[in-house]
Amino acid sequence: MEPLRPQRRTAARVLDTLTPALILLSAGAVTAEDGGAMEELTTEKEAEESHRQDSVNLLTFIMLLTLTILTIWLFKHRRVRFLHETGLAMIYGLLVGVILRYGIPATSYHNKTPPSCSLKEGPVSTVLLNISGKFFEYTLKGEINSREINNVEQNDMLRKVTFDPEVFFNILLPPIIFHAGYSLKKRHFFRNMGSIITYAFLGTVISCFVIGNLMYGVVKLMQVLGQLTDKFYYTDCLFFGAIMSATDPVTVLAIFNDLHADGDLYALLFGESVMNDAVAIVLSSSIVAYQPSGANTHMFDAAAFFKSVGVFIGIFSGSFVMGAATGVVTALVTKFTKLHCFPLLETALFFLMSWSTFLLAEACGFTGVVAVLFCGITQAHYTYNNLSAESTQRTKQLFEVLHFLAENFIFSYMGLALFTFQNHIFSPIFIIGAFISIFIGRAFNIYPLSFFLNLGRRHKIKGNFQHMMMFAGLRGAMAFALAIRDTATYARQMMFTTTLLVVFFTVWVFGGGTTPMLSVLHIR
Amino acid sequence: MEPLRPQRRTAARVLDTLTPALILLSAGAVTAEDGGAMEELTTEKEAEESHRQDSVNLLTFIMLLTLTILTIWLFKHRRVRFLHETGLAMIYGLLVGVILRYGIPATSYHNKTPPSCSLKEGPVSTVLLNISGKFFEYTLKGEINSREINNVEQNDMLRKVTFDPEVFFNILLPPIIFHAGYSLKKRHFFRNMGSIITYAFLGTVISCFVIGNLMYGVVKLMQVLGQLTDKFYYTDCLFFGAIMSATDPVTVLAIFNDLHADGDLYALLFGESVMNDAVAIVLSSSIVAYQPSGANTHMFDAAAFFKSVGVFIGIFSGSFVMGAATGVVTALVTKFTKLHCFPLLETALFFLMSWSTFLLAEACGFTGVVAVLFCGITQAHYTYNNLSAESTQRTKQLFEVLHFLAENFIFSYMGLALFTFQNHIFSPIFIIGAFISIFIGRAFNIYPLSFFLNLGRRHKIKGNFQHMMMFAGLRGAMAFALAIRDTATYARQMMFTTTLLVVFFTVWVFGGGTTPMLSVLHIR
């Protein structure tokens, strides 16, 4: 493979903005006349090849999941608790990532170097290419780094398994969040509603600003030390704070559930982590919206800040209303149509209505996650009672399976991403700074708020509960999803790498340490 | 909107092969220096816009399905039988297609005309664009017709809802076919195995060649009449024969199931239509592979023909073995792991293993549909008995829901495609020819084969059964899927349009006429 690389590089480097470069590679140039049939055949074969490649990619993930399931069974069978299934999925993902990265030789692309041409306007979503008289349509996949250009052709498989955030947000996330809402234990949840909202809203905002400001300090330090090679704005730091403030309900709660630990603590942790996913999404998109347009300052601006707050409240309440409304509509439909004579139709309707909440909210510019969470709660509260016996069971099981698959998929994907994502920027100072500031941010969330909440609560939140909440601040799928959504700039790439490491560390160490920690803190 | 169109057209027409055109639109050109922050913001906003658009598209389909479900319920409630749910889904799809096409004004794209540039090599899958010093990666979406270029910017929504055949083949199809295999009534099926295989294999091949040859006559006639503006080869006609030979199990069988009609007739029809889906896939891809490479003849060639037959047998048996093997592996795993203590894991494993069969077969170049069908049969025969009570129910229900959703999605999509697909070529002669030759092809399949089969059968296939099988030769999802897979050339576009019309007609008329037909033929 090696001897070919220099040539490929030159081909890629001819790219230039000033000369409208048209690269003619030696391989292709067929005349329009006799090439018709052959070209058609090539396209067909290429389509088939790409179909096969897609199948292999999907298969990789499915095999990973299968392996995870079998190992989970083994662990459950042997009562191993130091490693949770999500941690396991991540480890398998890592291993496959390593294999893909280092085990598979770069496929021979010697006559497949991506050709290129120049345009002087902004990136557009669709481009037409005139190739030997035929027009081909190309769609934008994303920006790539100049560093990356040399890699483009090196390992196609690696890039193919890098996955579309759209898939995550529209397909994998909704069932997870919906299931959380649908299977919520309402009594404990509503009893602790005030505290949950305080932690989730106020706490997350505090944590976001604490982390953001600390990280800004770290970034300044890096600039002084000359470790930063590109721009890193204050708003980027705040964005990082928002990403890092979403705690993950998955791991700790699964263990809590297995151990039947204290109901109130469970409700607090669960409620906080579900709600703050939503808060983090809204926060991060508000911060992006808040970036003062046109200007280069990216600094703090009071007017823009209050606008953000307004946006935040508007989005949140809109999503809440939308989720609850769809839930109520489903409840009314199931009540008045006697659909329960046909459980299959009922289940399908239930499924579609719940999913449509998510999409409806996203389409209106609200937050689908918040909407689907409240939709789940409403469905459980109202619709559930109208369903036929078969449907109640069917819907529960359906969402349980979907949730399980989506969750494990995400965690194994995270493992995979560490090696397959090609733009990692590892900055030790930034990473260490992130770990410290996340810890401090979490502390600023839990302890002061618990103090104030205890002033008003009848059942005080005890010290050991507070330590447990502090300890249980894992970062998981949501942080990852927010970080991968945009990895175009230097700052975002560094954040993505750091986020991945934080997720790995917290899931393995804190997740694995939950059971010992519970007994250390005398919680039962 | 109107006044803008001429300008847009000019922009699109500047495309030229000979001059390496670089189109500078007036809107974009920002200098690299100060444009950084703004550009980033634009990209972010564009990404958000595209996310919202995607949500709206998905939402459209979900709303369609919801509406279909509610109407199905109404029909079932009122015991309406003249229109089956699939026909209904198609009608709703049609309506939404009309609305999208004529109801929504063309979005204002005056500064979003797709820019373009020229390359002189064959189409490649990835292209790099250098835009103001940044590199963007574009992936090939497909060839577009010169006719179409003027439409590209006219209605983006229309093009967005045009769906990726990949999604169909990898996601929607497997659950439908698997469910067919999994819920097969084995006794009747295996009793009629010989006849089913005869109809499905021999019959489909006969039908394919009859239709192909008749259509070649039609094409010749069109050439004489000057109705054909582009190439249309003999192999294209055979390909059309292969597409059109796949009968659809959905509609008629659903009605048979509701009426509890004769078990043997059910088994014959079901077995034939499931197996011939697979046969049609293998046939059509063999025909594509058979197109003599390089040469322009596209005519009959004995050596290549036998090669095709070899390919056909190889693919079919490979798929069969692979499907059965995965089924057996799942059965062994569930038998020996005591996984049944954890029904959720068991269901998830079952689901993943079954899906992976499909992907594995596709990745190896076999036919996923055949593999997944036999996997379903094996799973039902062996694995089913090893599952826990909860899992048996759960897997059944899970696949039932998936099957229901996928099926209705496909049918409403078919309705939608009539108006949203932008390259329809309506050729009355071709369409009439197709209807006639499909009828003849079906007759050549059923009557002669039934005659020969009756020589050997103990339970003869009676005349009224033969007429019913003749009548029940609906074309459905599989024909559509095969036709949409490649719509690049003129011939394929004409086939696609014709296929859609044939599907509509047969589903509505034959599907709706099943109940009356059964009583006319005195079948109970």
Side-chain angles (χ1 to χ4, degrees):
Chain A
M1 297 295 123
E2 275 309 311
L4 285 165
R5 225 173 263 171
Q7 190 211 330
R8 270 186 263 151
R9 279 204 185 143
T10 0
R13 275 190 190 146
V14 181
L15 306 170
D16 194 54
T17 328
L18 298 171
T19 52
L22 169 72
I23 300 185
L24 289 165
L25 290 185
S26 52
V30 276
T31 57
E33 209 86 328
D34 63 69
M38 235 164 91
E39 210 168 76
E40 193 180 305
L41 209 68
T42 327
T43 325
E44 191 111 18
K45 274 200 182 133
E46 208 156 276
E48 214 165 87
E49 193 46 55
S50 127
H51 172 73
R52 193 176 294 187
Q53 186 63 49
D54 285 346
S55 302
V56 171
N57 294 341
L58 253 176
L59 195 62
T60 311
F61 283 113
I62 290 187
M63 287 297 175
L64 256 173
L65 287 182
T66 312
L67 211 63
T68 312
I69 289 175
L70 287 177
T71 324
I72 291 171
W73 167 74
L74 209 69
F75 277 29
K76 287 206 172 184
H77 192 64
R78 298 263 155 97
R79 302 190 182 282
V80 177
R81 279 236 180 72
F82 67 91
L83 187 63
H84 187 253
E85 53 196 67
T86 49
L88 198 72
M90 265 175 13
I91 291 176
Y92 280 129
L94 269 180
L95 290 179
V96 173
V98 170
I99 293 169
L100 286 183
R101 179 96 192 206
Y102 303 107
I104 296 176
T107 30
S108 57
Y109 267 108
H110 50 280
N111 53 9
K112 268 193 177 176
T113 317
S116 52
C117 61
S118 310
L119 289 172
K120 234 195 157 171
E121 38 168 339
V124 284
S125 57
T126 307
V127 158
L128 300 181
L129 282 191
N130 180 345
I131 296 166
S132 327
K134 286 185 167 194
F135 294 100
F136 290 86
E137 190 184 358
Y138 284 78
T139 45
L140 180 61
K141 203 176 165 197
E143 189 184 345
I144 51 171
N145 224 281
S146 36
R147 254 175 335 116
E148 205 188 343
I149 288 173
N150 299 327
N151 290 325
V152 165
E153 69 271 29
Q154 271 177 28
N155 199 333
D156 206 42
M157 177 95 184
L158 281 188
R159 288 171 44 260
K160 280 249 172 115
V161 294
T162 303
F163 106 149
D164 186 3
E166 205 74 349
V167 172
F168 183 89
F169 275 94
N170 281 344
I171 295 177
L172 295 175
L173 199 53
I176 296 183
I177 304 286
F178 183 85
H179 182 254
Y182 196 55
S183 64
L184 201 71
K185 285 186 186 65
K186 274 171 295 187
R187 197 165 56 90
H188 286 290
F189 184 76
F190 284 109
R191 198 163 67 185
N192 293 297
M193 198 64 184
S195 310
I196 289 170
I197 286 179
T198 313
Y199 286 123
F201 282 69
L202 205 57
T204 306
V205 174
I206 290 173
S207 158
C208 167
F209 278 91
V210 169
I211 295 174
N213 284 305
L214 287 174
M215 288 318 288
Y216 193 57
V218 172
V219 166
K220 282 278 168 231
L221 178 71
M222 285 167 73
Q223 273 166 350
V224 171
L225 294 176
Q227 296 262 338
L228 215 57
T229 57
D230 211 332
K231 291 168 196 162
F232 209 122
Y233 299 110
Y234 180 65
T235 44
D236 286 330
C237 293
L238 276 187
F239 185 80
F240 186 69
I243 289 178
M244 278 294 135
S245 299
T247 58
D248 189 69
V250 175
T251 315
V252 177
L253 294 185
I255 294 170
F256 267 52
N257 225 357
D258 285 359
L259 296 176
H260 302 287
D262 187 272
D264 279 318
L265 183 57
Y266 181 93
L268 282 175
L269 271 173
F270 175 81
E272 189 211 343
S273 55
V274 168
M275 301 273 265
N276 76 7
D277 276 5
V279 175
I281 289 184
V282 180
L283 257 183
S284 61
S285 55
S286 311
I287 288 168
V288 170
Y290 153 84
Q291 288 190 331
S293 55
N296 268 334
T297 52
H298 285 265
M299 283 306 295
F300 196 80
D301 167 1
F305 174 73
F306 283 110
K307 196 181 134 207
S308 278
V309 172
V311 168
F312 180 87
I313 294 173
I315 290 180
F316 207 94
S317 50
S319 314
F320 170 77
V321 169
M322 191 157 279
T326 339
V328 170
V329 168
T330 318
L332 290 176
V333 168
T334 45
K335 194 176 179 77
F336 291 114
T337 56
K338 286 177 190 148
L339 206 63
H340 52 77
C341 308
F342 307 98
L344 177 62
L345 293 183
E346 206 178 32
T347 310
L349 183 83
F350 186 89
F351 176 77
L352 290 174
M353 288 294 282
S354 307
W355 195 17
S356 75
T357 315
F358 180 87
L359 294 170
L360 201 65
E362 290 286 310
C364 295
F366 296 133
T367 312
V369 174
V370 185
V372 91
L373 171 67
F374 287 106
C375 176
I377 295 175
T378 323
Q379 301 278 41
H381 203 74
Y382 298 108
T383 315
Y384 191 76
N385 305 315
N386 301 335
L387 297 178
S388 61
E390 200 187 323
S391 283
T392 53
Q393 214 193 359
R394 212 193 264 243
T395 51
K396 271 214 134 141
Q397 291 179 346
L398 178 68
F399 280 104
E400 202 180 336
V401 172
L402 288 180
H403 155 89
F404 177 82
L405 290 176
E407 189 181 286
N408 280 297
F409 180 85
I410 290 170
F411 277 90
S412 46
Y413 183 74
M414 278 197 262
L416 203 64
L418 188 63
F419 286 96
T420 57
F421 183 71
Q422 308 224 331
N423 295 320
H424 281 302
I425 297 177
F426 289 96
S427 159
I429 303 181
F430 193 83
I431 292 167
I432 294 167
F435 270 98
I436 295 171
S437 55
I438 286 164
F439 187 78
I440 298 175
R442 182 86 189 151
F444 269 91
N445 171 357
I446 299 299
Y447 295 118
L449 288 183
S450 303
F451 175 76
F452 287 115
L453 283 171
N454 276 339
L455 296 180
R457 277 178 71 102
R458 210 148 37 89
H459 299 279
K460 306 290 180 208
I461 299 167
K462 282 171 287 181
N464 56 352
F465 276 31
Q466 295 180 23
H467 299 316
M468 194 63 221
M469 288 181 74
M470 177 76 202
F471 185 79
L474 307 196
R475 269 65 178 178
M478 184 53 73
F480 174 78
L482 288 171
I484 206 181
R485 205 165 193 181
D486 177 7
T487 55
T489 67
Y490 176 83
R492 293 288 164 85
Q493 286 165 9
M494 193 185 278
M495 286 183 207
F496 178 67
T497 307
T498 312
T499 308
L500 261 186
L501 293 177
V502 169
V503 171
F504 288 161
F505 184 81
T506 56
V507 167
W508 285 330
V509 175
F510 294 175
T514 307
T515 321
M517 198 65 182
L518 280 172
S519 51
V520 166
L521 293 172
H522 304 293
I523 299 172
R524 162 65 259 216
Chain B
M1 298 295 123
E2 276 308 311
L4 286 167
R5 225 173 264 171
Q7 190 210 330
R8 270 186 264 149
R9 281 204 183 144
T10 3
R13 279 195 187 142
V14 182
L15 307 170
D16 195 50
T17 329
L18 297 172
T19 52
L22 169 73
I23 300 187
L24 289 166
L25 292 185
S26 51
V30 277
T31 58
E33 206 86 329
D34 63 71
M38 235 163 89
E39 208 168 77
E40 194 179 305
L41 210 68
T42 329
T43 324
E44 190 110 19
K45 272 197 184 138
E46 206 155 280
E48 214 166 88
E49 192 46 55
S50 126
H51 173 71
R52 192 175 295 186
Q53 186 62 50
D54 285 346
S55 303
V56 172
N57 295 341
L58 253 177
L59 195 62
T60 312
F61 283 114
I62 290 188
M63 286 296 174
L64 255 173
L65 288 183
T66 312
L67 211 64
T68 311
I69 289 175
L70 287 178
T71 324
I72 291 171
W73 168 75
L74 209 71
F75 276 28
K76 287 206 174 184
H77 192 63
R78 298 263 155 96
R79 302 188 181 282
V80 178
R81 280 236 180 72
F82 66 91
L83 189 62
H84 187 253
E85 53 196 66
T86 49
L88 198 72
M90 265 176 14
I91 291 177
Y92 280 128
L94 268 180
L95 290 179
V96 173
V98 171
I99 294 169
L100 286 181
R101 178 94 191 210
Y102 302 107
I104 296 176
T107 30
S108 58
Y109 266 107
H110 51 280
N111 54 7
K112 268 192 177 178
T113 316
S116 53
C117 61
S118 310
L119 288 174
K120 236 195 154 171
E121 38 168 334
V124 284
S125 57
T126 307
V127 157
L128 300 181
L129 283 190
N130 180 347
I131 295 167
S132 327
K134 286 185 166 192
F135 293 100
F136 291 86
E137 190 184 359
Y138 285 78
T139 44
L140 180 61
K141 204 175 164 198
E143 188 183 348
I144 52 172
N145 222 282
S146 36
R147 254 176 333 118
E148 207 188 342
I149 288 172
N150 300 325
N151 290 325
V152 165
E153 71 271 29
Q154 272 176 29
N155 201 335
D156 206 42
M157 176 92 184
L158 282 187
R159 285 173 45 260
K160 281 250 171 112
V161 294
T162 302
F163 105 151
D164 186 3
E166 206 74 350
V167 172
F168 182 90
F169 275 94
N170 281 343
I171 295 175
L172 294 175
L173 200 53
I176 296 184
I177 304 287
F178 183 84
H179 182 254
Y182 197 53
S183 63
L184 201 72
K185 285 185 187 65
K186 274 171 296 188
R187 197 166 55 91
H188 285 290
F189 184 76
F190 284 110
R191 197 164 66 186
N192 294 295
M193 199 62 184
S195 309
I196 289 170
I197 286 180
T198 312
Y199 286 123
F201 282 69
L202 204 57
T204 306
V205 174
I206 291 174
S207 158
C208 167
F209 278 92
V210 169
I211 296 174
N213 284 305
L214 287 174
M215 288 318 288
Y216 193 58
V218 172
V219 166
K220 281 279 168 231
L221 178 72
M222 286 167 74
Q223 274 167 348
V224 171
L225 294 176
Q227 295 262 339
L228 214 56
T229 58
D230 210 333
K231 290 168 195 159
F232 208 123
Y233 298 109
Y234 180 65
T235 45
D236 287 329
C237 294
L238 276 187
F239 185 79
F240 185 71
I243 290 178
M244 278 296 135
S245 299
T247 57
D248 189 68
V250 175
T251 315
V252 176
L253 294 185
I255 294 170
F256 267 53
N257 223 358
D258 286 357
L259 298 176
H260 302 288
D262 187 272
D264 280 318
L265 182 56
Y266 181 94
L268 281 176
L269 271 174
F270 175 82
E272 188 211 343
S273 56
V274 167
M275 300 274 264
N276 77 5
D277 277 5
V279 175
I281 290 184
V282 179
L283 257 184
S284 61
S285 57
S286 310
I287 289 168
V288 170
Y290 155 81
Q291 289 190 329
S293 56
N296 268 333
T297 52
H298 286 264
M299 283 306 295
F300 196 81
D301 167 2
F305 174 74
F306 284 110
K307 197 180 135 207
S308 278
V309 172
V311 168
F312 180 88
I313 294 171
I315 291 180
F316 208 95
S317 51
S319 314
F320 170 77
V321 168
M322 190 158 278
T326 341
V328 170
V329 168
T330 320
L332 290 176
V333 168
T334 45
K335 192 174 181 79
F336 292 112
T337 56
K338 286 177 193 151
L339 207 62
H340 53 77
C341 308
F342 307 97
L344 177 62
L345 293 184
E346 205 178 34
T347 311
L349 183 83
F350 186 88
F351 175 77
L352 290 174
M353 287 295 281
S354 308
W355 195 17
S356 74
T357 314
F358 180 86
L359 293 170
L360 200 65
E362 291 285 311
C364 296
F366 296 133
T367 312
V369 174
V370 184
V372 92
L373 172 67
F374 286 106
C375 176
I377 295 175
T378 324
Q379 301 279 41
H381 202 75
Y382 298 108
T383 315
Y384 192 76
N385 305 316
N386 301 335
L387 297 179
S388 62
E390 202 186 322
S391 283
T392 51
Q393 214 191 0
R394 212 193 263 242
T395 49
K396 270 214 134 136
Q397 291 179 346
L398 179 69
F399 280 105
E400 201 180 337
V401 172
L402 288 179
H403 155 88
F404 177 82
L405 290 175
E407 189 180 287
N408 280 295
F409 181 86
I410 290 171
F411 277 90
S412 44
Y413 183 75
M414 278 197 262
L416 203 65
L418 188 63
F419 285 95
T420 57
F421 182 71
Q422 308 223 332
N423 294 321
H424 281 303
I425 298 175
F426 288 96
S427 158
I429 302 181
F430 193 82
I431 292 167
I432 295 168
F435 271 99
I436 296 171
S437 55
I438 286 164
F439 187 79
I440 298 175
R442 182 84 190 152
F444 268 92
N445 173 355
I446 299 299
Y447 295 117
L449 289 184
S450 302
F451 174 77
F452 287 115
L453 284 171
N454 275 339
L455 297 180
R457 276 179 72 101
R458 208 148 40 87
H459 300 277
K460 306 289 178 208
I461 301 167
K462 283 171 286 180
N464 57 351
F465 276 29
Q466 295 180 25
H467 299 318
M468 194 61 222
M469 288 182 74
M470 178 78 203
F471 185 80
L474 307 195
R475 268 65 177 180
M478 184 51 74
F480 174 78
L482 288 173
I484 206 180
R485 205 166 192 179
D486 176 6
T487 55
T489 66
Y490 175 84
R492 293 289 164 86
Q493 286 165 8
M494 193 184 277
M495 286 182 207
F496 179 66
T497 307
T498 311
T499 307
L500 260 187
L501 292 177
V502 169
V503 171
F504 288 162
F505 183 82
T506 55
V507 168
W508 286 330
V509 175
F510 293 173
T514 307
T515 321
M517 198 66 183
L518 280 173
S519 51
V520 166
L521 293 173
H522 305 291
I523 299 174
R524 163 68 257 215

